Amino acid sequence: MADRPGFSFLSLLSHGTGRAWARQWRHAQPKAAYDVVIVGAGGHGLATAYYLAREHGIRDVAVVDKGWLGGGNTGRNTTIIRSNYLWDASAALYEHALKLWETLSRELNYNVMYSPRGVMMLAHTHHDVQVFQRHVHANRLQGIDNEWLTPLDAKAVCPPLDISAAGRYPVLGAALQRRGGIARHDAVAWGYARAASALGVDIIQNCAVTGIMRAPSGDVTGVETEKGPIAARRIGIVAAGHTSVVMAMAGLRMPLESFPLQALVSEPLKPVMPCVVMSNTVHAYISQSDKGELVIGAGTDIYPSYSQAGGLHIGAETLQAVCELFPSFRRLRMLRNWAGIVDTTPDRSPIIGLTPVPGLFVNCGWGTGGFKATPGSGHVFAATIAAGTPHPLAAPFGLERFVTGRLINEAAAAAVAH
Amino acid sequence: MLLIPCPWCGPRPENEFQHAGQAHIRRPSDPAAVSDEAWAAYLYLRDNPKGPLAERWRHRHGCGRFFSVVRDTVTDRISHIDRSAEAGAP
């Protein structure tokens, strides 16, 4: 633990007087071989490595990434956390993640700034009302908190919201998950990186994987990288929007398409948004970061792309909707907009588990909503890699569901319409 | 916003169009005769390349017709506009 200084009141006090912080994780160069190689140093990949080391005693692990850690979708999302999905399999998986969020700062001894300020999903049409009430009932049967609000209740939870009947998008009600909220995206990546590194995991940045090595039997034997070959009998692909590209190196086609998904932030304001508000129908979701910026999620482009930019009109449409729902925000200026490349599946549920290639595991397809799942995703994927069979919560999410037809359709629970 | 060259109407803005998925995916002529794997591959597996992608578009708010193009998914540049999709080619 020598290279992982503990955080305490005293250490914060002494660093507050100007003492420089030590590096929080080792800058590793690749060894010739590891027990497990994880491809992708985003939140999900780093969490996978952390739980492999922490819970399964597999510490001879490398996490390789072509860029810097947390520089993909982990650093590009709107940090919303909730577990109010419809089907039992998804609700169990996202609730598993939510429970881990609740204690994650203590677990990692790193403040991930998880803030359960409530996630409120607005209903604007009769159909929305029916769908969200169905979700509320399903969640309560699953033991997950979710409650139905009248427009007046919704206004009480979120005062800047316009609930007047004359509005362009009238609010007919809302579903509120009070345990939902946000966390600090960078801190999640850094916290997992720091904790994994301290347990012996090598995090190798700026090292693109260029090939997957196979034995004559078909089993994986390692990865080719920009820094030379790395041998491993077990490889976990956690490459989000680039999963199809990496899996093609092993000759596999995936049920995935990659789309740019955009987000924007406004200039900083004093506290004005007490919760997260999502509106699937008009396609806007919004919360306020601790820096005061309004963090706004926009939609995906209509065509697959790796451009990490996205069309300007997509963000403009979202801002029009935000201005209708929150008239007091109309004169705000936007500071930045960006896009991440999200890997979407036909049923809007992730793919976690084994692949037809022995030794090759995949964790992908989180689409437009992967951040909330970060701890749970890493936790069940680590267990799957360690045991060589799917963790019970991951089992329904195997690749084989596209052949058996047991899809887990969460198109209505995914906030971003496709 | 892409400027998409409809082979019948000329270049039009992206929001007149509907993306219709990867091109040249052929529906098995007798679905009952193929394996579950082959049927799943037809329904769900896609190339999703980082680079040139053959894809179909429909000029939904224009002539309503299908066509296919090759678009580079990194630069979003379009080339190889092909009308044959309208005649039923996949």
Side-chain angles (χ1 to χ4, degrees):
Chain A
M1 293 281 174
D3 57 345
R4 182 191 172 189
F7 290 122
S8 65
F9 178 70
L10 279 179
S11 80
L12 294 176
L13 201 63
S14 78
H15 284 92
T17 61
R19 216 177 100 208
W21 290 100
R23 282 191 185 279
Q24 297 297 311
W25 55 85
R26 293 172 291 111
H27 281 251
Q29 289 304 312
K31 296 192 297 183
Y34 291 88
D35 284 348
V36 178
V37 167
I38 302 294
V39 179
H44 291 233
L46 293 165
T48 303
Y50 170 72
Y51 291 114
L52 275 171
R54 178 91 166 75
E55 302 223 332
H56 305 282
I58 301 173
R59 298 182 172 202
D60 189 26
V61 177
V63 185
V64 295
D65 198 291
K66 77 173 174 187
W68 61 92
L69 71 82
N73 294 348
T74 300
R76 293 166 189 268
N77 69 90
T78 51
T79 78
I80 295 168
I81 295 167
R82 59 188 175 89
S83 64
N84 53 353
Y85 280 66
L86 177 63
W87 301 108
D88 288 350
S90 339
L93 182 62
Y94 289 104
E95 179 65 13
H96 180 54
L98 186 51
K99 290 216 167 85
L100 290 169
W101 278 115
E102 288 170 342
T103 56
L104 191 60
S105 293
R106 202 179 332 146
E107 164 89 14
L108 300 177
N109 186 24
Y110 201 89
N111 188 1
V112 299
M113 298 167 72
Y114 166 60
S115 164
R117 59 185 63 183
V119 171
M120 190 164 77
M121 302 175 85
L122 302 178
H124 301 291
T125 65
H126 183 62
H127 178 72
D128 284 351
V129 171
Q130 290 181 328
V131 168
F132 285 134
Q133 288 189 341
R134 184 183 176 200
H135 279 231
V136 167
H137 295 316
N139 289 153
R140 299 182 99 165
L141 287 171
Q142 291 150 346
I144 293 171
D145 76 301
N146 199 355
E147 60 196 89
W148 180 251
L149 304 182
T150 65
L152 277 174
D153 296 335
K155 176 89 176 164
V157 171
C158 184
L161 180 66
D162 179 14
I163 57 164
S164 61
R168 183 173 173 190
Y169 306 115
V171 175
L172 304 185
L176 173 66
Q177 184 176 28
R178 292 185 191 272
R179 289 158 64 235
I182 59 173
R184 175 76 197 166
H185 50 93
D186 288 333
V188 176
W190 298 340
Y192 272 120
R194 172 177 175 275
S197 178
L199 292 170
V201 172
D202 280 356
I203 299 163
I204 300 156
Q205 306 180 70
N206 300 309
C207 178
V209 167
T210 55
I212 292 176
M213 300 185 290
R214 312 270 296 272
S217 62
D219 295 37
V220 297
T221 57
V223 290
E224 301 272 7
T225 77
E226 288 177 331
K227 297 184 178 177
I230 304 174
R233 305 294 294 278
R234 284 175 287 184
I235 299 170
I237 308 298
V238 200
H242 285 70
T243 301
S244 294
V245 176
V246 180
M247 296 300 273
M249 296 172 190
L252 294 174
R253 289 174 87 212
M254 296 294 288
L256 293 172
E257 288 187 296
S258 296
F259 294 88
L261 174 66
Q262 292 187 62
L264 323 80
V265 291
S266 74
E267 58 191 323
L269 300 174
K270 288 182 177 175
V272 61
M273 279 290 291
C275 63
V276 181
V277 173
M278 312 179 63
S279 170
N280 301 6
T281 298
V282 303
H283 207 112
Y285 42 108
I286 181 164
S287 66
Q288 189 169 19
S289 75
D290 291 335
K291 284 192 287 186
E293 300 163 332
L294 292 178
V295 181
I296 297 169
T300 59
D301 281 319
I302 60 170
Y303 50 87
S305 176
Y306 290 82
S307 69
Q308 282 193 333
L312 190 60
H313 61 292
I314 302 285
E317 284 161 13
T318 292
L319 291 179
Q320 287 164 12
V322 166
C323 290
E324 295 291 338
L325 293 172
F326 301 96
S328 57
F329 296 165
R330 282 182 181 166
R331 292 164 71 189
L332 271 181
R333 284 165 294 196
M334 292 297 131
L335 287 191
R336 300 186 298 279
N337 70 318
W338 64 89
I341 304 302
V342 300
D343 42 333
T344 57
T345 58
D347 61 358
R348 309 305 172 213
S349 285
I351 298 167
I352 314 167
L354 285 63
T355 71
V357 175
L360 187 66
F361 300 80
V362 71
N363 182 356
C364 67
W366 292 95
T368 56
F371 179 77
K372 66 175 80 69
T374 304
S377 159
H379 189 262
V380 300
F381 192 47
T384 301
I385 292 173
T389 56
H391 182 282
L393 290 178
F397 295 92
L399 254 181
E400 64 281 359
R401 76 175 185 269
F402 297 99
V403 175
T404 63
R406 293 184 67 87
L407 302 189
I408 304 164
N409 188 342
E410 289 289 3
V416 179
H418 303 287
Chain B
M1 173 111 39
L2 298 184
L3 194 61
I4 298 175
C6 172
W8 286 279
C9 308
R12 297 294 174 88
E14 165 196 327
N15 52 10
E16 292 186 11
F17 295 83
Q18 175 184 16
H19 189 261
Q22 185 175 348
H24 315 312
I25 290 179
R26 198 170 289 278
R27 188 177 196 270
S29 53
D30 181 2
V34 300
S35 67
D36 288 351
E37 285 76 10
W39 186 245
Y42 159 69
L43 285 180
Y44 301 125
L45 297 190
R46 297 295 179 263
D47 289 338
N48 198 25
K50 187 174 187 175
L53 167 70
E55 65 187 3
R56 301 200 312 158
W57 288 88
R58 181 170 178 242
H59 195 185
R60 179 161 57 175
H61 302 299
C63 63
R65 288 191 272 197
F66 283 91
F67 57 97
S68 53
V69 306
V70 172
R71 181 175 53 89
D72 188 301
T73 60
V74 178
T75 62
D76 289 334
R77 262 197 203 102
I78 291 172
S79 58
H80 298 93
I81 300 119
D82 176 5
R83 294 183 177 200
S84 60
E86 181 58 21

